[in-house]
Amino acid sequence: MRPKDVLLTAALIFAAYLLISQLADIGFGTIAHEVGKASPAWVVLGLFLAQTTFVASGISVRGAVLTPLALLPCVVLQSAIKFINLTVPSSAGRIGMNLRFLQRMGVPLPEAVAAGAVDDASETIVQAALFLLVLPFVHVHLDTGQFHGAGPDRRLILAIGVALLVSLAVVLAVPKVRAKVVPPLLQALSGLWKVARDRHKRLELFGGNVGSELLYALALGATCLAYGVHVNLAQLVFVNTAASVLSSLIPVPGGIGAAEASLSAGLIAMGVDESTAFAIAITQRLCTFYLPPIWGYASLRWLTRKGYV
């Protein structure tokens, strides 16, 4: 990994600390003390489990297109995207990478363009389904006062609802906006319907996304055990899916700070003390976001040598 990418990783970690430390009265010394108590064996297991999500995500990529794809390049692609997301901190890098890869693999352009939307739509459906499935088994106890008023109030929720309604009205009423928004949406739904009619592709697409979510939850469970925190699978799925959705709503590259704060809030809601929750969140993000670009760079070079990108 190049020195400038190492410096970028360090800068992103420091930025995450600065952002999340504003949400609660926790200093660096407190978090560092908690991180120092982590069991290395459990952290290594969490890191390993986080990387196995590449296999599940690679399977879902295969399921997003009707064209047959080899599994190994699809798996390596997921690792390379971790590096791309770090060096090009926006969804543009991931979308461009997927499109180029699929075209090199012989997927027709319209199918390749729709594949990203199909995969994203199926991921959203899976996350919503898992969240609703585990919700009856999770008891949430969250004192929002510990975030010093950072939690949303009724006026904010109302404002978000009004904004969504206004956006929908604009899309429906303004022809130019409708022409830009509606066709891609219909294309994604059409692609999803075509894939859903193929039993094998349906299993790959949705099964891969389910596997990815569960593996991320298990990785979070291993990280929790590294700090002596025992959380059941339903709670892990709840925290992981909720954090993923919440952080994606905040326009911050890579979810820096937002993802850590969301994970911390979810763990605190499960009864984990504040300082330990922040330490777990930072460790989990090291396993899932900050460290994977190191081998993601090697994955990108392999894909380039093989002519896949």
Side-chain angles (χ1 to χ4, degrees):
M1 195 173 184
R2 296 172 295 181
K4 67 177 183 179
D5 295 322
V6 175
L7 290 175
L8 178 58
T9 302
L12 290 174
I13 295 172
F14 182 66
Y17 161 71
L18 290 178
L19 286 169
I20 64 176
S21 63
Q22 300 302 313
L23 297 178
D25 189 19
I26 301 178
F28 177 78
T30 302
I31 296 178
H33 176 70
E34 290 295 329
V35 171
K37 296 191 299 184
S39 170
W42 283 113
V43 173
V44 170
L45 178 60
L47 179 63
F48 171 77
L49 288 171
Q51 309 324 298
T52 60
T53 60
F54 296 157
V55 178
S57 296
I59 292 173
S60 70
V61 168
R62 281 164 49 102
V65 294
L66 295 176
T67 303
L69 300 177
L71 179 59
L72 179 60
C74 293
V75 172
V76 178
L77 175 68
Q78 306 312 306
S79 176
I81 286 175
K82 291 291 185 178
F83 176 76
I84 294 297
N85 286 343
L86 184 64
T87 56
V88 185
S90 69
S91 59
R94 177 180 61 84
I95 294 172
M97 186 77 167
N98 274 324
L99 182 60
R100 182 176 177 83
F101 172 80
L102 291 174
Q103 285 188 281
R104 287 293 185 91
M105 294 289 284
V107 178
L109 181 59
E111 188 178 346
V113 171
V118 169
D119 201 13
D120 287 344
S122 64
E123 181 182 13
T124 301
I125 292 171
V126 166
Q127 287 180 338
L130 287 175
F131 184 84
L132 294 175
L133 181 65
V134 303
L135 193 58
F137 306 99
V138 176
H139 301 285
V140 179
H141 304 284
L142 180 60
D143 178 14
T144 56
Q146 61 195 328
F147 291 100
H148 304 294
D153 56 22
R154 292 181 179 179
R155 288 177 296 178
L156 177 59
I157 295 174
L158 179 61
I160 293 174
V162 171
L164 290 174
L165 289 176
V166 170
S167 300
L168 179 60
V170 169
V171 169
L172 294 176
V174 181
K176 289 185 178 180
V177 177
R178 186 169 64 248
K180 291 183 178 180
V181 174
V182 175
L185 178 61
L186 293 177
Q187 186 181 35
L189 293 175
S190 175
L192 185 60
W193 173 245
K194 289 179 181 178
V195 169
R197 288 187 298 176
D198 187 310
R199 181 175 178 273
H200 181 68
K201 291 296 180 181
R202 185 170 64 243
L203 288 174
E204 286 186 326
L205 179 62
F206 289 99
N209 278 310
V210 169
S212 181
E213 293 297 325
L214 292 178
L215 286 168
Y216 271 126
L218 291 174
L220 178 59
T223 305
C224 288
L225 289 173
Y227 293 90
V229 175
H230 297 267
V231 186
N232 63 44
L233 182 59
Q235 292 173 317
L236 291 170
V237 171
F238 176 88
V239 171
N240 184 68
T241 54
S244 178
V245 172
L246 289 173
S247 61
S248 67
L249 296 176
I250 302 174
V252 179
I256 305 297
E260 289 83 356
S262 300
L263 281 170
S264 300
L267 291 167
I268 293 170
M270 298 300 108
V272 181
D273 68 89
E274 198 172 317
S275 58
T276 303
F278 273 78
I280 291 173
I282 291 175
T283 305
Q284 176 71 359
R285 286 283 283 171
L286 280 171
C287 295
T288 60
F289 182 78
Y290 297 110
L291 292 180
I294 297 174
W295 39 91
Y297 177 67
S299 298
L300 179 60
R301 289 179 61 85
W302 184 85
L303 289 172
T304 303
R305 287 199 308 270
K306 295 293 184 179
Y308 292 122
V309 293

